[in-house]
Amino acid sequence: MDMTQKFEATTLVMVKRRKKYNKQSRAIIAKEAIKEGTIIEKCPVIRIPYDEVYDDDLEENAGQNPTVSHYCFNWPNDFTALALGYGSLYNHSKKPNASYMEIDNDCLVFTAIKDIKKGEEVTIDYQPDEIKDMEFSQKLEQ
């Protein structure tokens, strides 16, 4: 991928339907082997005020009715962001093979953090680094 282009569609991955936990879902699958450090996708985002996406009952209703909130990223200044391209479809893993970072407040860049085999699902960790750091600090204090 050309680093000078802000957004760029990907040819490295595809969406596949799968059945997991007795539910239909989607997975992002590598169409070819992807080397560690490779930019997988650069996605533009649509910023939306946080309170227009999430409601007070989100926690008790989570997972019952798919809404746009299940596909959004936390964003600074009371916003949430819906990533275009495949950006909002990457599944979570505690041992991901890809990561993402915000660029210029309107783009997410997804990068392989380890080699990914052809046919392997591409996953990211949904938990923000600041929460991971806080949890690590709490464990050290115990």
Side-chain angles (χ1 to χ4, degrees):
M1 285 200 166
D2 182 355
M3 285 302 292
T4 60
Q5 286 187 290
K6 191 163 190 179
F7 309 121
E8 192 169 340
T10 184
T11 58
L12 299 175
V13 295
M14 64 184 164
V15 178
K16 277 198 165 182
R17 289 218 173 259
R18 66 178 183 171
K19 192 166 186 169
K20 188 173 185 179
Y21 309 119
N22 292 324
K23 292 183 180 181
Q24 286 290 344
S25 68
R26 296 179 189 97
I28 302 300
I29 305 296
K31 288 170 64 175
E32 58 189 70
I34 302 171
K35 294 246 182 246
E36 178 180 348
T38 300
I39 292 175
I40 299 168
E41 183 173 20
K42 296 179 187 178
C43 302
V45 300
I46 299 172
R47 293 178 27 190
I48 308 166
Y50 187 87
D51 59 359
E52 289 182 21
V53 175
Y54 297 98
D55 61 30
D56 294 335
D57 296 330
L58 179 65
E59 285 303 315
E60 69 183 57
N61 293 329
Q64 292 178 7
N65 295 311
T67 65
V68 72
S69 66
H70 295 115
Y71 302 98
C72 289
F73 291 82
N74 289 330
W75 217 251
N77 303 320
D78 295 324
F79 277 87
T80 187
L82 181 64
L84 302 180
Y86 294 137
S88 288
L89 299 177
Y90 291 92
N91 288 317
H92 168 75
S93 173
K94 289 185 178 182
K95 295 181 179 180
N97 52 19
S99 66
Y100 63 93
M101 62 186 265
E102 173 191 335
I103 304 291
D104 295 335
N105 208 27
D106 65 350
C107 178
L108 284 174
V109 177
F110 294 83
T111 306
I113 57 173
K114 54 179 85 167
D115 290 346
I116 303 170
K117 297 175 186 165
K118 179 180 179 178
E120 183 178 352
E121 181 175 6
V122 180
T123 59
I124 59 174
D125 186 347
Y126 291 172
Q127 193 171 41
D129 286 337
E130 57 271 11
I131 291 175
K132 286 185 220 166
D133 292 343
M134 183 177 66
E135 288 175 351
F136 180 73
S137 295
Q138 288 171 348
K139 284 180 184 175
L140 287 178
E141 291 171 5
Q142 294 174 352

